[in-house]
Amino acid sequence: MRHTPDRRSSRIYEIVVREFDLHQVPVQNAAIQVSAQTHHTDASLMLHDKLSNDQLSRAAKRAPFECIALLLQGGGALGSYQGGVYQALAEVGLHPNWVAGVSIGAVNSALIAGNPPERRVEKLRKFWETVSSPPLGPFGVPYNPLVEIKGELTHRIVNQTRALYTMLLGAPDFFKPRFPPPLLWAPNRSDAISYYDVAPLKATLERLVDFDRINTAGEMRFSVGAVNVRTGNSIYFDTKTHVIGPAHVMASGSLPPGFPATEIDGEYYWDGGIVSNTPLQWVLDSRPRLDTLAFQIDLWSARGDLPRDMTEIEARLKDIQYSSRTRAATDQYRRQQKLRLAFTDLLDDLPENLRAHKDVQTLKQEADDKVCNIVQLIYNCKNYEGIAKDFEFSRRTMEEHWREGYNDAVRALNRREVLELPDRAEGVRTFDFTEVKSS
């Protein structure tokens, strides 16, 4: 039976109340377990935050924005966090009409844009459950949600061991080691120089994503960022300018030397995160400008604790490099939009004889009175995740990331102003829900 997001959310509420006798307890404070049939999630996924009836009714009316954009940063195995965020948005009917991503964010974007609304969470779950399966299949250690790992040191050792398995064996239906290794037998093709073969990812995308829907449905704009290997320039493959296929998504995640360059129309492309790991600027600079509600879902935090050892230094370095200065870009956009608003007010007050001046016409091209809410959700890793967090593809860690994303999105939606247009004089309003988890 097909459920709309609102009916599905009502069903969740009924399950919570019935199973936990919560008629006298605020739902948002309950820890609940939801069935796979209802949410398309693993039965062990504990969703600690719930949406209030007020949230559901407000979101059902749809936010009064011309564009709802979902912006997904790159970050490898951390990407299941974005799946949890999207689940929370979908449950209240906040379906984006523009999704843009880089690297693993491009894969998640394709899974969203390439499926009808009622199947998007299901397909996201299918992808993440598949790639987080034991690399040795039936000979591997299966995930047991009843087993709890206690202690930071133990958890760190377990995570690093799982990451080692990924390095040696790859991730199912995502990538596999090349044999013979390129250091021993160098191939002559640019699209084969890498430690891993990503042919499994192409097959997975073709199985889970309807690219005809991305290109022809028209209900959602789709953009993924990559880097031209020859020129070093950033490029976005966008449904407004390109016919999107699996190669465009794979190009966005072709991070060397692990993954090979992807060839498209005679040019070769690497991971977009090499230049910029977030599609924020691409979306905010687009024309024509619209009243926009942008959910910026980052996987690397620019803020963090002071490292205590060499491993933490490397992990912190990664965070800073791949966070792509999201906050700085947001601050710059806010300043630019205030200037555009000032231009608009000034043009209205100019006498007629000055309006034809060439400098005024130049200003007029940039002037507008559009507004924007930017909601920043940034995953903050646990201390035990370490430097291998972006290639540790175990099921347990995947579920942890998904749950974090879901809970963070629910907390964001609890802020009434998130879904309300900012004042025209304010122009841009930002919401930063980052919580640095200190040791």
Side-chain angles (χ1 to χ4, degrees):
M1 178 178 178
R2 180 179 297 180
H3 294 281
T4 64
D6 290 342
R7 292 178 63 188
R8 183 163 61 243
S9 298
S10 298
R11 174 64 175 151
I12 296 167
Y13 181 85
E14 293 168 4
I15 292 173
V16 177
V17 173
R18 183 178 67 249
E19 295 297 325
F20 292 88
D21 192 22
L22 299 178
H23 291 285
Q24 305 301 323
V25 181
V27 174
Q28 59 266 31
N29 292 332
I32 67 168
Q33 187 167 3
V34 183
S35 71
Q37 290 80 10
T38 302
H39 271 296
H40 308 293
T41 63
D42 188 282
S44 67
L45 183 62
M46 301 298 291
L47 306 179
H48 291 286
D49 294 290
K50 281 309 302 163
L51 302 172
S52 66
N53 287 337
D54 180 55
Q55 282 178 272
L56 295 173
S57 63
R58 283 190 284 118
K61 295 177 182 177
R62 190 171 178 84
F65 293 86
E66 297 169 301
C67 174
I68 297 179
L70 182 62
L71 316 177
L72 305 179
Q73 195 180 73
L78 302 172
S80 58
Y81 175 85
Q82 296 169 343
V85 171
Y86 182 78
Q87 179 184 340
L89 297 179
E91 286 176 2
V92 295
L94 278 173
H95 300 291
N97 45 27
W98 190 352
V99 61
V102 174
S103 198
I104 198 64
V107 174
N108 285 333
S109 295
L111 292 164
I112 293 168
N115 286 286
E118 68 273 12
R119 300 203 66 188
R120 290 170 184 165
V121 174
E122 171 194 346
K123 295 297 185 179
L124 284 164
R125 287 293 306 183
K126 179 65 176 176
F127 173 80
W128 283 103
E129 288 174 358
T130 299
V131 302
S132 63
S133 300
L136 292 175
F139 302 102
V141 179
Y143 167 59
N144 185 348
L146 300 179
V147 176
E148 182 180 357
I149 301 175
K150 297 183 178 180
E152 181 178 316
L153 178 60
T154 302
H155 215 145
R156 184 190 294 268
I157 293 173
V158 170
N159 278 36
Q160 301 304 312
T161 302
R162 289 165 175 163
L164 179 61
Y165 287 157
T166 301
M167 289 182 64
L168 296 176
L169 304 172
D173 288 356
F174 194 167
F175 58 90
K176 60 183 179 182
R178 286 194 185 277
F179 186 83
L183 294 178
L184 300 179
W185 186 272
N188 294 322
R189 299 188 352 257
S190 296
D191 59 355
I193 305 174
S194 64
Y195 293 115
Y196 300 98
D197 180 3
V198 291
L201 175 60
K202 183 175 185 293
T204 299
L205 289 172
E206 292 173 339
R207 185 174 72 252
L208 297 180
V209 177
D210 182 351
F211 284 94
D212 288 338
R213 182 182 184 89
I214 290 178
N215 291 303
T216 62
E219 65 183 34
M220 184 183 296
R221 185 174 174 181
F222 175 86
S223 313
V224 291
V227 175
N228 186 302
V229 178
R230 187 176 54 82
T231 67
N233 292 332
S234 177
I235 181 175
Y236 270 84
F237 301 114
D238 192 297
T239 45
K240 281 200 169 185
T241 54
H242 298 80
V243 176
I244 301 298
H248 299 93
V249 179
M250 295 172 68
S252 184
S254 296
L255 183 63
F259 296 165
T262 300
E263 190 270 333
I264 300 174
D265 297 332
E267 292 285 352
Y268 287 86
Y269 298 93
W270 275 339
D271 191 302
I274 294 173
V275 171
S276 178
N277 201 31
T278 174
L280 179 65
Q281 186 173 356
W282 174 257
V283 171
L284 296 181
D285 287 348
S286 68
R287 304 290 196 281
R289 293 189 178 88
L290 302 171
D291 290 336
T292 300
L293 171 60
F295 290 92
Q296 170 69 30
I297 317 304
D298 289 353
L299 304 177
W300 306 89
S301 177
R303 298 173 182 169
D305 294 329
L306 189 67
R308 300 170 297 182
D309 54 41
M310 293 301 293
T311 300
E312 289 188 4
I313 285 177
E314 293 190 49
R316 189 75 195 102
L317 179 62
K318 264 190 177 181
D319 278 338
I320 295 171
Q321 285 178 326
Y322 291 120
S323 65
S324 287
R325 302 178 69 246
T326 297
R327 290 186 180 89
T330 302
D331 292 342
Q332 181 181 4
Y333 175 71
R334 184 191 295 110
R335 290 192 295 270
Q336 291 174 343
Q337 193 60 22
K338 281 190 173 295
L339 288 175
R340 295 187 186 104
L341 290 166
F343 294 163
T344 302
D345 293 340
L346 180 62
L347 290 171
D348 290 339
D349 294 336
L350 280 179
E352 196 66 36
N353 64 319
L354 291 180
R355 295 189 180 186
H357 192 282
K358 64 177 183 179
D359 290 340
V360 173
Q361 291 302 308
T362 300
L363 291 176
K364 186 176 180 180
Q365 293 176 11
E366 292 299 317
D368 71 57
D369 62 350
K370 297 300 181 179
V371 296
C372 181
N373 276 359
I374 301 176
V375 184
Q376 296 176 321
L377 298 177
I378 306 177
Y379 176 69
N380 280 284
C381 71
K382 313 296 189 300
N383 287 329
Y384 56 73
E385 292 187 77
I387 191 173
K389 59 188 174 184
D390 55 330
F391 58 92
E392 200 275 274
F393 280 90
S394 72
R395 175 65 58 81
R396 180 181 299 276
T397 302
M398 185 278 284
E399 296 289 1
E400 289 176 358
H401 293 158
W402 188 289
R403 180 171 61 247
E404 287 282 331
Y406 182 94
N407 291 339
D408 285 354
V410 169
R411 282 191 284 271
L413 293 172
N414 267 317
R415 288 283 298 273
R416 182 183 300 273
E417 315 92 271
V418 164
L419 303 181
E420 297 175 348
L421 287 169
D423 184 86
R424 295 284 169 182
E426 184 179 5
V428 178
R429 183 186 296 159
T430 59
F431 301 87
D432 189 340
F433 294 96
T434 306
E435 295 179 5
V436 178
K437 297 173 177 60
S438 301
S439 55

